Amino acid sequence: MGWSLRSSRAMETGVGRWAGRAFFTAVVLVLSFSAQQAHAQAFGPPPPPPPPPPSPSIPASDLSSGAAITNLGSNFLERLGDQASGGFGRASRTNPGGGGASEAFDGPAFRTWGEAYGISSKTGPQANFVGDDRTTTGGVAGFGARIAPGVNVGFSIDQSRTGIDVPLAMQSATLDLTQLGFNASIDKGPWTWAVALVHGFGKINSSRDTGLGIASAGYNGQIDGALTELSYYWTVNQSRFVPKAAFEYVHASTGSFQEMGGSDPVSASGATLDRSRILVGAEIGHYWIVDQKILDLSAYGKFVDNFEQNLSSVTVSLGPQSISVQGIGESRYGADAGAALSLSLTNAVRVYLNYDGKFRSALQSHQATAGIEVKW
């Protein structure tokens, strides 16, 4: 009986303590909630955390402009190299077919030419680059001379305008490029060694749709390049086969810029591209005499190995935020192919049409050229 009474009293004491603690906890919660409600009524809800600063947009048109300058420099170099190595006119220079003919000054020593051309090219997506479409129109004027038996030199200027469209990034640009070219060749029987040099400079104007206006920028670009080519001229009656091997190097650069207008205009550092490559291929051709005029048709193909491409990164900044974007280049391996139609109206006047195509895994380019050459 005494044990039961003591147990009952202990249980009552424990229950009392638990009830007291529960009541105290409830009072604390009610007071805390009331204090929060009073603070919210007096000062409003707590502010949300600040949004992260915007990331700078990738200037895709700038990457495309650098690639355009590089490819236009290569195009001009290779046209100068083909011109120096001869093509259709090679047979009249030093009698590569042999037979003991003299290599003295027995023909026209000077020549001048003019060309108009158009290029359409498309670059596929690469890493952070979404791809572009480029169209170029341009013209070339040149002068050449034979300064010694088997030694020929030429000077020319190329002026072009390129429209660049990057539709998926809502960006575009224009590139006005002037290139100065020099070429020279030395003929020794069927062998020809040719060199070509190019220096170019241009102006780039870019625009980017920010959704709240257009952000635009203007900056400069430059190209320097050199090509050396060795060829062998082999003739069979009125046909020819000319294997060729060439080495080409180009260095292109674009300047830094600061966008103006739009929302969140960015700034970007300058960029450079160095490319070295080997081109190995051959030209085949045949001519006909039609109504005392010479009609010549030829085609060529080249294997291209871009064995070294150094692409600098572009640093893009927006306030304290910055990102680095890799430049775009060509695939290592590719092919060039083309054809030419030439009509010699007289011994001094020739007109011609050329097609040149470049085929890479992420790039395709097509060029059409119309020209006239006058000798005296």
Side-chain angles (χ1 to χ4, degrees), residues 86-113:
F88 168 71
R90 175 65 176 85
S92 64
R93 294 203 311 221
T94 58
N95 188 34
S102 171
E103 295 187 0
F105 287 91
D106 54 359
F110 304 99
R111 62 191 181 94
T112 186
W113 64 93

Side-chain angles (χ1 to χ4, degrees), residues 237-324:
N237 298 322
Q238 294 176 202
S239 300
R240 65 183 180 277
F241 177 70
V242 188
K244 301 179 179 182
F247 169 79
E248 175 193 301
Y249 169 78
V250 294
H251 170 82
S253 62
T254 56
S256 60
F257 64 86
Q258 170 65 60
E259 288 184 332
M260 304 293 292
S263 63
D264 300 328
V266 302
S267 62
S269 64
T272 60
L273 185 150
D274 293 274
R275 183 173 68 199
S276 300
R277 63 185 181 187
I278 294 174
L279 304 96
V280 178
E283 172 193 338
I284 58 173
H286 185 86
Y287 72 88
W288 298 264
I289 300 176
V290 180
D291 194 21
Q292 298 183 339
K293 298 176 177 63
I294 301 177
L295 178 66
D296 184 86
L297 181 63
S298 64
Y300 74 87
K302 298 177 183 177
F303 169 75
V304 180
D305 180 1
N306 296 303
F307 64 88
E308 184 174 2
Q309 295 187 88
N310 295 320
L311 313 173
S312 72
S313 298
V314 178
T315 301
V316 188
S317 302
L318 175 60
Q321 302 296 311
S322 64
I323 58 173
S324 292

Side-chain angles (χ1 to χ4, degrees), residues 229-246:
E229 182 179 86
L230 184 66
S231 62
Y232 185 89
Y233 194 96
W234 180 36
T235 60
V236 178
N237 298 322
Q238 294 176 202
S239 300
R240 65 183 180 277
F241 177 70
V242 188
K244 301 179 179 182

Side-chain angles (χ1 to χ4, degrees), residues 6-277:
R6 286 195 301 269
S7 297
S8 175
R9 290 177 179 174
M11 290 179 64
E12 290 176 355
T13 302
V15 170
R17 290 176 180 174
W18 178 85
R21 290 174 183 174
F23 176 76
F24 178 76
T25 302
V27 169
V28 170
L29 291 175
V30 169
L31 292 176
S32 176
F33 178 75
S34 300
Q36 289 180 3
Q37 291 293 102
H39 183 277
Q41 292 176 359
F43 300 101
S55 299
S57 298
I58 296 173
S61 61
D62 178 46
L63 302 179
S64 182
S65 297
I69 292 175
T70 305
N71 290 334
L72 288 173
S74 288
N75 288 355
F76 194 31
L77 270 176
E78 291 166 24
R79 296 202 312 270
L80 290 173
D82 290 340
Q83 190 181 71
S85 63
F88 168 71
R90 175 65 176 85
S92 64
R93 294 203 311 221
T94 58
N95 188 34
S102 171
E103 295 187 0
F105 287 91
D106 54 359
F110 304 99
R111 62 191 181 94
T112 186
W113 64 93
E115 297 177 349
Y117 65 88
I119 305 173
S120 174
S121 61
K122 183 178 183 64
T123 306
Q126 303 179 34
N128 294 322
F129 182 69
V130 295
D132 66 23
D133 294 290
R134 303 195 294 263
T135 57
T136 302
T137 57
V140 178
F143 173 81
R146 184 175 58 202
I147 59 176
V151 181
N152 300 272
V153 297
F155 303 89
S156 56
I157 181 170
D158 181 322
Q159 181 66 51
S160 66
R161 163 162 279 206
T162 301
I164 300 169
D165 185 24
V166 190
L168 294 181
M170 295 187 294
Q171 299 181 32
S172 62
T174 59
L175 165 64
D176 292 293
L177 183 65
T178 301
Q179 298 186 86
L180 307 176
F182 166 80
N183 62 359
S185 63
I186 298 177
D187 301 327
K188 189 64 175 179
W191 292 97
T192 296
W193 175 56
V195 296
L197 303 173
V198 162
H199 171 69
F201 48 91
K203 180 70 174 179
I204 303 164
N205 291 291
S206 65
S207 62
R208 181 171 59 88
D209 188 345
T210 65
L212 295 174
I214 301 297
S216 59
Y219 50 103
N220 298 323
Q222 185 171 306
I223 178 73
D224 292 285
L227 178 142
T228 180
E229 182 179 86
L230 184 66
S231 62
Y232 185 89
Y233 194 96
W234 180 36
T235 60
V236 178
N237 298 322
Q238 294 176 202
S239 300
R240 65 183 180 277
F241 177 70
V242 188
K244 301 179 179 182
F247 169 79
E248 175 193 301
Y249 169 78
V250 294
H251 170 82
S253 62
T254 56
S256 60
F257 64 86
Q258 170 65 60
E259 288 184 332
M260 304 293 292
S263 63
D264 300 328
V266 302
S267 62
S269 64
T272 60
L273 185 150
D274 293 274
R275 183 173 68 199
S276 300
R277 63 185 181 187

Side-chain angles (χ1 to χ4, degrees), residues 343-358:
L343 178 63
S344 296
L345 303 175
T346 67
N347 290 336
V349 180
R350 179 174 71 95
V351 294
Y352 53 92
L353 295 172
N354 295 344
Y355 164 77
D356 299 283
K358 298 183 180 298

